[in-house]
Amino acid sequence: MEVTKKYMEFEGIRVPGGVHSVESLTWAWKEFEVRDDDVFNVTYPKSGTTWLQEILSLIYSNGDPTPVKTQYSWDRVPWIEQYSGRRQIENRPSPRLITTHLPIHIFPQSYYKSKAKIIYTVRNPKDVCVSLYHFSLVAQFMESREDFQDFITLFLSNDVMFGRWFEHVKGWLTIKDNPNFLLLSYDSMVKDLRSSVAKICKFLGKDLSDAAIDSVVEHSSFKAMKDNNMSNYSAVPNDIFNKQHGTFHRKGISGDHKNYFTPAQEEEFNEIYKECMKDIDLAFI
Ligand code: A3P
């Protein structure tokens, strides 16, 4: 991977240039053939992507932790839009577990002719902003800002990677009534992981025993994942993830924005949220 902070533009959004190309994005959008039993883990960055990669891997192994302990998360549930996506996904046996941060307007077109399932995980945008702020200091392929106010300004602009949170979420919620679409909340998962895992199993038609569900919950806890070298990104070289600036598994809590936003910053953010999300039924402020 070329480590560059340069972003590329594609269909109105900006994405890190090192792992994406026009070819990889176009393939994902226009050429990839979705199968009926594909399962998509869709998120805006820092909303629980890696967590879902772990949970899905564990559900499909019936709670057996061997895959999550022996294979990297990005190989188990790869990103479709990245350079390596085609090689990793195209000929993989079913059921394929696939990750993406793509906004809906450039999601694989063949999905709409399929019965594939989508799990979209949404997180409080103020916590996403805090998490992304820290991550951008670690991830050397991201545009960062030292000053948190400057980062909020970037986060609220179209320059942020994968486009603005508001448009990403609103776009995906347009298909929320599709029976093959499950809306999950990171914040509910933090409160009650077992219920969320049971909900995911039901949605996927996976009938796991209580003991298997317990195992999924145990091995996808924040502590278990932070300690799992296959999911905590410790294997990524320092020139890509600068570990002196932090770890991938940072806090894993709901409401951390209260420790970063000043009252004035929060008020301003809430106003923008109300304006952008006025027709949407999501209570994050
Ligand atoms: P924080 O930076 O707030 O700690 P993504 O995988 O989409 O990049 O999201 C990363 C965020 O999810 C980070 O948030 C990370 O700590 C959190 N996370 C990862 N695994 C988790 C888990 N098992 N439980 C709770 N949070 C988790």
Side-chain angles (χ1 to χ4, degrees), residues 259-275:
N259 299 314
Y260 287 89
F261 280 70
T262 64
Q265 286 169 335
E266 182 159 15
E267 197 180 319
E268 196 183 333
F269 194 105
N270 288 350
E271 283 312 310
I272 294 169
Y273 183 100
K274 276 189 220 157
E275 177 57 29

Side-chain angles (χ1 to χ4, degrees), residues 46-51 123 131 186 220 225 249-252:
K46 313 320 286 177
S47 301
T49 325
T50 319
W51 201 0
R123 184 182 190 187
S131 181
Y186 175 97
S220 63
M225 287 185 64
H249 284 85
R250 197 181 57 90
K251 286 194 183 169

Side-chain angles (χ1 to χ4, degrees), residues 14-280:
R14 300 176 80 222
V15 296
V19 285
H20 302 92
S21 66
V22 171
E23 291 73 29
S24 71
L25 290 157
T26 306
W27 177 78
W29 180 27
K30 299 207 162 165
E31 291 164 42
F32 173 60
E33 285 181 26
V34 175
R35 297 182 198 149
D36 284 343
D37 49 9
D38 285 341
V39 176
F40 288 91
N41 164 27
V42 186
T43 56
Y44 189 80
K46 313 320 286 177
S47 301
T49 325
T50 319
W51 201 0
L52 261 293
Q53 286 175 322
E54 207 80 343
I55 291 170
L56 289 173
S57 304
L58 286 160
I59 289 176
Y60 278 84
S61 69
N62 285 309
D64 177 356
T66 310
V68 302
K69 293 202 167 154
T70 52
Q71 251 191 309
Y72 290 119
S73 52
W74 56 87
D75 287 332
R76 282 184 263 119
V77 195
W79 273 265
I80 193 171
E81 60 269 30
Q82 297 185 354
Y83 274 140
S84 47
R86 182 172 192 167
R87 174 178 52 74
Q88 288 178 299
I89 296 167
E90 198 170 29
N91 297 318
R92 182 172 286 216
S94 289
R96 300 181 295 189
L97 306 175
I98 301 165
T99 298
T100 186
H101 289 317
L102 290 175
I104 196 166
H105 71 279
I106 46 174
F107 188 67
Q109 289 176 337
S110 63
Y111 161 75
Y112 297 97
K113 293 188 300 227
S114 79
K115 296 189 180 100
K117 295 196 169 167
I118 292 177
I119 301 176
Y120 187 74
T121 311
V122 69
R123 184 182 190 187
N124 185 322
K126 285 176 286 188
D127 288 344
V128 171
C129 181
V130 170
S131 181
L132 199 58
Y133 166 70
H134 289 280
F135 185 61
S136 70
L137 299 172
V138 174
Q140 299 306 298
F141 52 87
M142 269 188 71
E143 282 187 9
S144 59
R145 302 286 186 272
E146 289 286 330
D147 179 76
F148 185 57
Q149 175 58 58
D150 291 345
F151 190 81
I152 298 178
T153 305
L154 173 65
F155 185 78
L156 292 171
S157 79
N158 288 326
D159 289 341
V160 66
M161 66 175 186
F162 292 99
R164 296 205 315 163
W165 181 93
F166 306 100
E167 278 72 40
H168 202 278
V169 172
K170 280 197 288 190
W172 279 105
L173 289 185
T174 57
I175 58 161
K176 72 177 178 3
D177 297 328
N178 177 338
N180 289 327
F181 180 90
L182 177 68
L183 180 63
L184 269 191
S185 143
Y186 175 97
D187 306 276
S188 307
M189 288 164 67
V190 169
K191 261 195 221 130
D192 183 355
L193 180 55
R194 201 176 200 287
S195 298
S196 297
V197 169
K199 194 173 179 179
I200 298 168
C201 288
K202 185 163 180 239
F203 172 70
L204 296 173
K206 299 290 288 178
D207 189 15
L208 266 58
S209 66
D210 282 352
I213 292 187
D214 288 343
S215 177
V216 176
V217 172
E218 180 189 336
H219 294 287
S220 63
S221 72
F222 182 77
K223 166 96 176 64
M225 287 185 64
K226 193 178 171 72
D227 293 343
N228 182 358
N229 290 340
M230 294 291 138
S231 333
N232 64 14
Y233 287 93
S234 57
V236 176
N238 236 28
D239 62 335
I240 302 177
F241 276 11
N242 186 336
K243 286 149 208 127
Q244 274 158 346
H245 289 154
T247 52
F248 183 87
H249 284 85
R250 197 181 57 90
K251 286 194 183 169
I253 59 170
S254 208
D256 195 31
H257 65 272
K258 295 195 181 77
N259 299 314
Y260 287 89
F261 280 70
T262 64
Q265 286 169 335
E266 182 159 15
E267 197 180 319
E268 196 183 333
F269 194 105
N270 288 350
E271 283 312 310
I272 294 169
Y273 183 100
K274 276 189 220 157
E275 177 57 29
C276 293
M277 304 297 281
K278 56 178 180 280
D279 306 319
I280 307 290

